[in-house]
Amino acid sequence: MHTTNLQSSPLHPEAASHSFIVLAGDPFVWEILEGQYVRIVDLKGNQAVDTIFYNAHDYADRYSAQDTIREQGNIYLTTGTSLLSTEGNVLLTITSDTCGRHDTLGGACAAESNMVRYDLKKGYMHACRNSFLKGLQHWNHGMDKRDITSNINFFMNVPVTPDGNLTFEDGVSDAGKYVELRAEMDVLMVISNCPQLNNPCNGYNPTPIQVLIWDKNVQ
């Protein structure tokens, strides 16, 4: 099932309390407080943004792809989707979405998967699991590779075929498209701005993204 609910945001970038540029291949880690809004902007278009969310007060309670998919009856995310945690908490709600396609199944690229999917010689290439691990190490709160769990691939187009296979296709996002979320509790956001060069998820040309954060009750 795939239902798209495109919705622009009333929030203005100049009113944001924080603005960051995340280069292709880089990690980004930030705590989003309850009631704050976070917007991820695909600056150049066709860029995959791998993201994991955790309960900021209990890292063992983190985004659950299966619970989110089950509750909304949809394998893709869009405006109105509640992102559920492994403990059944609502971490965030997508309040605005101008892209309409965000993957929950494709997972994060890794050196190992690059070798299996593409070529043994691809093992040296940087991948999202490396970025996640680097981000968690810099965060320095006792998290390690065992905490790299199910992730969302914002802006990534991964159709499911009739026989149940996943295919990595050209993205449907254009420059300036964004997804915006409201934190329903304090959450830790960990981003890998995907460096993948071997499939169309980044148009074979990884590019920067922007992260904007607005304080509670900004509206």
Side-chain angles (χ1 to χ4, degrees), residues 46 168 170 196-206:
N46 207 19
F168 295 89
D170 288 332
Q196 183 59 256
L197 292 168
N198 298 291
N199 68 55
C201 69
N202 297 325
Y204 303 101
N205 179 35

Side-chain angles (χ1 to χ4, degrees), residues 22-193:
V22 183
L23 299 180
D26 279 0
F28 177 78
V29 183
W30 196 264
E31 279 193 357
I32 312 298
L33 303 180
E34 180 182 355
Q36 288 187 322
Y37 290 80
V38 56
R39 181 185 298 177
I40 302 171
V41 185
D42 186 1
L43 291 175
K44 302 292 185 180
N46 207 19
Q47 173 64 21
V49 184
D50 293 38
T51 308
I52 306 176
F53 294 105
Y54 303 83
N55 178 340
H57 304 290
D58 178 9
Y59 295 147
D61 183 28
R62 65 279 300 268
Y63 166 72
S64 170
Q66 56 266 41
D67 291 312
T68 300
I69 293 168
R70 184 191 66 246
E71 286 301 309
Q72 69 165 349
N74 194 337
I75 61 173
Y76 303 107
L77 311 179
T78 189
T79 308
T81 299
S82 294
L83 305 183
L84 299 186
S85 76
T86 52
E87 297 297 325
N89 295 309
V90 178
L91 297 170
L92 308 98
T93 300
I94 299 180
T95 55
S96 301
D97 175 22
T98 62
C99 174
R101 178 58 69 99
H102 307 286
D103 167 62
T104 57
L105 301 177
C109 57
E112 295 82 0
S113 63
N114 281 341
M115 288 189 289
V116 171
R117 288 175 177 168
Y118 308 114
D119 192 290
L120 289 175
K121 297 178 182 179
K122 303 290 186 179
Y124 75 94
M125 299 181 74
H126 189 62
C128 283
R129 285 188 63 87
N130 302 102
S131 291
F132 282 141
L133 183 57
K134 181 179 179 181
L136 293 177
Q137 288 175 333
H138 279 276
W139 183 242
N140 196 27
H141 280 60
M143 303 172 78
D144 58 29
K145 63 182 179 181
R146 291 171 293 184
D147 295 292
I148 301 174
T149 182
S150 301
N151 67 281
I152 298 165
N153 293 310
F154 287 117
F155 312 113
M156 190 168 168
N157 184 20
V158 185
V160 178
T161 65
D163 59 358
N165 290 321
L166 302 181
T167 60
F168 295 89
E169 303 292 345
D170 288 332
V172 296
S173 180
D174 294 324
K177 298 290 187 181
Y178 60 82
V179 59
E180 189 173 288
L181 308 97
R182 180 183 63 242
E184 307 298 351
M185 59 191 299
D186 296 346
V187 298
L188 179 69
M189 178 176 68
V190 181
I191 286 176
S192 167
N193 191 21

